[in-house]
Amino acid sequence: MFDRIEKLIGKENIKKIISKKILLVGVGGVGGTTLETLVRSGIENITIIDNDTFEESNLNRQILANVNVLNNKKVKVGASRSLLINPDIKIIAKDIFLNKDNINKIGKFDYIIDACDTTETKVELIKYALSNNIKIISSMGMGNRLDPTKVIITTLSKTSNDPLAKKVKEELKKAQINNEINVVSSTETPIKSKNIITSMMPVPSVAGIYLAYYVINDIIKSN
């Protein structure tokens, strides 16, 4: 199934991609697209973590959502869909809310992709990755935005117009951790809303693709 990818990047890079172990935290609007991109790009060892279920409000933007999976756990749906794309993958689905009390039980990975929307979890994932020498890329805020062309891959220290990134910076500063963490962020000023996070598909989906691209590209470039 990866014949066209092999012609693009070569057989040896396909082997490298297949060999890597990836942790993806969050499989919603951003993470669902990340998961799909990883699977279709050749990643075969994936652990996904999320404790949420699909709701009707997810149908407008989340690639894993459809009317047949409403009220089902996102990790279960994500794992099933992934196996339908590539039956050879080894995918582990964990229906848990990741926090400081259980993060040390998640195991060892080559890459961590943070696509969750909880500041505490983001900070704990960064701490875990740094202390265990694991590469990490984290998605910052994608809500209340319309323009997918404003989504970029950068470092946390260079983010702007991003309230979630600001909170993460503050927490990392308290923990005396620098801001040179790879992130996907939007430079678009969030559209004001009445105490609710609004979203439609283009922005979170582009963010999800960028997260996966960062990992795939880093694998290809590594020795």
Side-chain angles (χ1 to χ4, degrees):
M1 67 177 284
F2 301 119
D3 179 64
R4 295 195 179 192
I5 297 178
E6 184 179 317
K7 286 180 171 60
L8 181 65
I9 64 174
K11 184 177 291 186
E12 291 305 310
N13 283 323
I14 288 288
K15 290 179 180 178
K16 287 198 294 184
I17 288 170
I18 290 173
S19 71
K20 299 302 181 182
K21 292 181 65 177
I22 312 297
L23 171 64
L24 171 60
V25 181
V27 286
V30 174
T33 302
T34 303
L35 177 61
E36 182 112 350
T37 308
L38 291 173
V39 173
R40 294 186 187 274
S41 299
I43 295 291
E44 291 193 356
N45 292 281
I46 309 173
T47 296
I48 55 176
I49 293 177
D50 200 315
N51 76 323
D52 202 2
T53 58
F54 282 111
E55 301 175 355
E56 187 175 10
S57 62
N58 302 145
L59 294 172
N60 78 313
R61 69 193 182 282
Q62 298 192 15
I63 197 168
L64 301 180
N66 63 69
V67 294
N68 293 322
V69 301
L70 297 182
N71 301 314
N72 289 343
K73 286 291 186 176
K74 290 183 178 180
V75 288
K76 181 180 178 181
V77 173
S80 298
R81 181 180 173 95
S82 299
L83 288 165
L84 288 174
I85 296 168
N86 181 6
D88 293 328
I89 66 169
K90 302 174 184 67
I91 186 163
I92 298 171
K94 295 187 176 183
D95 174 23
I96 59 173
F97 179 78
L98 199 61
N99 56 35
K100 63 182 180 181
D101 297 324
N102 57 18
I103 195 165
N104 288 321
K105 301 176 183 178
I106 60 177
K108 178 69 175 176
F109 302 90
D110 296 296
Y111 292 87
I112 293 174
I113 301 176
D114 161 30
C116 75
D117 54 12
T118 305
T119 303
E120 178 192 355
T121 302
K122 289 183 177 298
V123 172
E124 292 301 324
L125 281 168
I126 291 168
K127 290 179 182 178
Y128 184 84
L130 293 175
S131 63
N132 289 278
N133 196 29
I134 301 172
K135 294 182 177 181
I136 184 170
I137 184 163
S138 181
S139 175
M140 296 293 108
M142 296 298 153
N144 298 339
R145 295 169 173 88
L146 283 174
D147 189 349
T149 68
K150 298 293 180 63
V151 179
I152 60 171
I153 299 174
T154 185
T155 58
L156 184 60
S157 63
K158 296 178 181 178
T159 56
S160 60
N161 296 325
D162 193 327
L164 178 56
K166 183 179 179 181
K167 291 179 182 178
V168 174
K169 287 179 189 177
E170 291 170 351
E171 293 304 314
L172 290 181
K173 185 177 181 180
K174 291 177 186 177
Q176 297 183 321
I177 297 172
N178 69 53
N179 289 331
E180 298 308 311
I181 303 297
N182 292 309
V183 300
V184 172
S185 180
S186 172
T187 60
E188 180 183 5
T189 302
I191 299 166
K192 292 183 179 180
S193 61
K194 296 179 179 179
N195 299 319
I196 183 172
I197 297 176
T198 58
S199 185
M200 59 189 300
M201 192 166 189
V203 172
S205 293
V206 168
I209 290 172
Y210 277 13
L211 290 172
Y213 166 74
Y214 173 85
V215 170
I216 295 298
N217 187 54
D218 195 72
I219 294 170
I220 292 171
K221 288 165 51 181
S222 64
N223 295 324

